[in-house]
Amino acid sequence: MSAGRNFLFIPGPTNMPETVRRAMGGAQEDQRAPDVPDFTLPLFADLKKVFQMKTGHVLVFAGTGTGGWEAAITNTLSPGDGVLASRFGLFSQLWAELCQRHGLAVDAIDVEWGEGVPVAAYAERLKADRAHKIKAVLVTHNETATGVASDVAAVRRALDEAKHPALLFVDGVSSIASIDFRMEEWGVDIAVAGSQKGFMMPTGLAIVAVSEKALAAMATAKLPRSYFSFDDMLRMNKNGYFPYTPPMTMLRGLRASVDLLLGEGLPNVFARHHRMAEAVRRAVGAWGLSLVAKAPQWHSDTVSTIWTPPGVDGAELVRHAYRRYNLSLGVGLARLAGKVFRIGHLGELNELMVLAALSGAEMTMRDLGATLAPGSGVAAAEEHFRATAPKTN
Ligand SMILES: Cc1ncc(COP(=O)(O)O)c(C=O)c1O
């Protein structure tokens, strides 16, 4: 590889801050040592701050976001239970499929890719379900394939208006710790995050927030669960330990990550992500291109999925950016393959990093024959950054 480093602009894994990297560089440690709870119990408590919750628990499993999806349903549901879901991108589709594979009765509403959770259709289904056959409602907060963010609070309102007792499950894999997410205020029962996105860590942890209501549902839930059993995890976590060998190295990294997030302050973290995302959107506009997200209400502050210029293949664009400029962009997934490219703008990121990615994307598109004015996207992003610069002294 050429000099310099890879510019990582996929929507996860994301760039790892030096402090997180260092925190994971220590010797291996005894996971049953008497002082382990001094480390783990405050970590569990601080994780709740990231999810914006006071009651309930945050459980950390060695696994990935997909494992978190499985944990959510197997701990709370029984075969044949109704699940209300919607499909508007690869990840919302896969979560619904995972539920089907577990023998749940999934009503998956197909939505045009580029839009998010169909709140009105959810409201109708919930009102019509007088027998309360729907036991869980799924929301993919941020669909990473399309760059679409959804309104979780509106789904909560739909549940409340229908006086429906279903559990509300949120996939926050590419939103939590980057985009405002309020577990308690929005009445979310289970929220799933992964370590490799907003938490700025390597892949390998499923971070699952669970409400008291979801915990109560475990009493009657009959789907088989073993590795992801909340019961086993909670019993051991209570005293600061785990039911099996915990990934201590990753937990050390998580501690550093949570310290960074809380040190910056969640509102500042969210505002920074919005500002970075808006700069990318300005660049997209200046290039004369458009987002897959159909309207500003769906704009994601963590990933932009961009239709390629006429005649430019998305896979070729991503390949060229990597080979020629050592820039990693996201490919189009599933039905978007070849038609789009994605810029991930989450995690540890500042203005100049974003400008570098935009410059690389711009040069790549021009190399491949797109007619873009040189520097147009970068200039638009620069202007946005200058106009919204935080005050410095
Ligand atoms: C929104 C969303 N949900 C779930 C997943 C699956 O997570 P993992 O790949 O960590 O299993 C991803 C992965 O990118 C995602 O973006």
Side-chain angles (χ1 to χ4, degrees):
M1 201 44 91
S2 53
R5 62 172 179 80
N6 174 253
F7 279 74
L8 188 63
F9 280 83
I10 56 172
T14 62
N15 294 287
M16 224 178 3
E18 193 54 34
T19 50
V20 172
R21 203 190 302 233
R22 280 209 214 108
M24 293 192 298
Q28 288 305 300
E29 50 188 310
D30 172 7
Q31 80 276 13
R32 297 186 213 278
D35 58 355
V36 162
D38 299 341
F39 164 65
T40 51
L41 293 175
L43 175 61
F44 299 152
D46 285 344
L47 276 168
K48 287 170 70 170
K49 296 180 190 158
V50 177
F51 283 80
Q52 305 195 60
M53 63 198 280
K54 290 206 168 75
T55 59
H57 298 268
V58 177
L59 309 179
V60 184
F61 294 93
T64 71
T66 305
W69 285 342
E70 185 159 320
I73 63 161
T74 55
N75 279 281
T76 54
L77 302 177
S78 300
D81 277 355
V83 170
L84 179 58
S86 45
R87 294 184 287 228
F88 45 87
L90 179 66
F91 297 101
S92 45
Q93 189 174 291
L94 286 173
W95 198 12
E97 193 183 311
L98 182 138
C99 292
Q100 279 159 347
R101 287 194 199 176
H102 279 84
L104 297 167
V106 184
D107 176 9
I109 303 172
D110 279 305
V111 175
E112 210 175 323
W113 288 26
E115 296 179 8
V117 166
V119 178
Y122 271 23
E124 255 173 50
R125 298 286 214 281
L126 290 166
K127 273 196 199 121
D129 180 35
R130 298 251 161 71
H132 295 163
K133 290 205 163 118
I134 299 169
K135 301 295 180 200
V137 176
L138 309 190
V139 176
T140 301
H141 188 195
N142 190 77
E143 174 51 79
T144 321
T146 55
V148 160
S150 284
D151 189 348
V152 180
V155 175
R156 175 77 266 162
R157 283 196 295 277
L159 276 156
D160 290 348
E161 276 160 24
K163 297 196 171 44
H164 201 293
L167 297 163
L168 175 57
F169 294 169
V170 174
D171 173 346
V173 171
S174 62
S175 62
I176 288 166
S178 307
I179 298 177
D180 196 6
F181 173 79
R182 305 178 185 196
M183 180 85 180
E184 205 138 290
E185 189 181 317
W186 297 345
V188 175
D189 293 298
I190 298 189
V192 176
S195 48
Q196 76 273 27
K197 300 192 197 263
F199 286 97
M200 308 169 284
M201 289 183 52
T203 313
L205 298 179
I207 306 166
V208 184
V210 187
S211 73
E212 296 293 347
K213 182 175 162 189
L215 292 180
M218 288 193 314
T220 51
K222 296 206 171 44
L223 277 178
R225 54 186 186 267
S226 175
Y227 178 78
F228 287 119
S229 164
F230 290 167
D231 271 332
D232 294 349
M233 188 58 95
L234 280 167
R235 196 161 11 88
M236 295 299 289
N237 275 183
K238 194 159 41 96
N239 299 319
Y241 294 99
F242 287 76
Y244 30 70
T245 317
M248 289 301 289
T249 307
M250 293 285 284
L251 294 176
R252 292 284 171 193
L254 187 59
R255 174 74 262 174
S257 154
V258 169
D259 285 345
L260 282 175
L261 292 167
L262 299 179
E264 183 174 354
L266 289 183
N268 298 327
V269 171
F270 304 146
R272 177 169 54 81
H273 278 81
H274 179 70
R275 189 160 168 263
M276 299 298 137
E278 193 53 38
V280 171
R281 292 191 279 265
R282 299 287 169 101
V284 171
W287 290 330
L289 301 180
S290 49
L291 296 170
V292 170
K294 290 215 160 135
Q297 74 179 106
W298 309 118
H299 284 172
S300 160
D301 281 346
T302 58
V303 54
S304 293
T305 304
I306 303 158
W307 296 108
T308 56
V312 175
D313 177 73
E316 176 58 17
L317 188 161
V318 172
R319 217 169 14 245
H320 185 86
Y322 184 75
R323 291 242 169 86
R324 176 72 185 82
Y325 298 110
N326 207 358
L327 167 67
S328 288
L329 299 170
V331 290
L333 298 173
R335 70 174 74 155
L336 295 177
K339 299 178 182 156
V340 302
F341 68 103
R342 294 177 299 151
I343 301 180
H345 32 79
L346 73 165
E348 193 194 41
L349 216 57
N350 64 20
E351 290 117 321
L352 295 189
M353 291 162 86
V354 169
L355 290 173
L358 294 174
S359 170
E362 200 164 277
M363 287 194 287
T364 296
M365 289 189 278
R366 296 189 64 232
D367 292 349
L368 298 179
T371 48
L372 310 175
S376 53
V378 172
E382 280 181 4
E383 286 315 286
H384 175 68
F385 285 144
R386 294 183 61 248
T388 58
K391 292 214 171 17
T392 50
N393 41 18

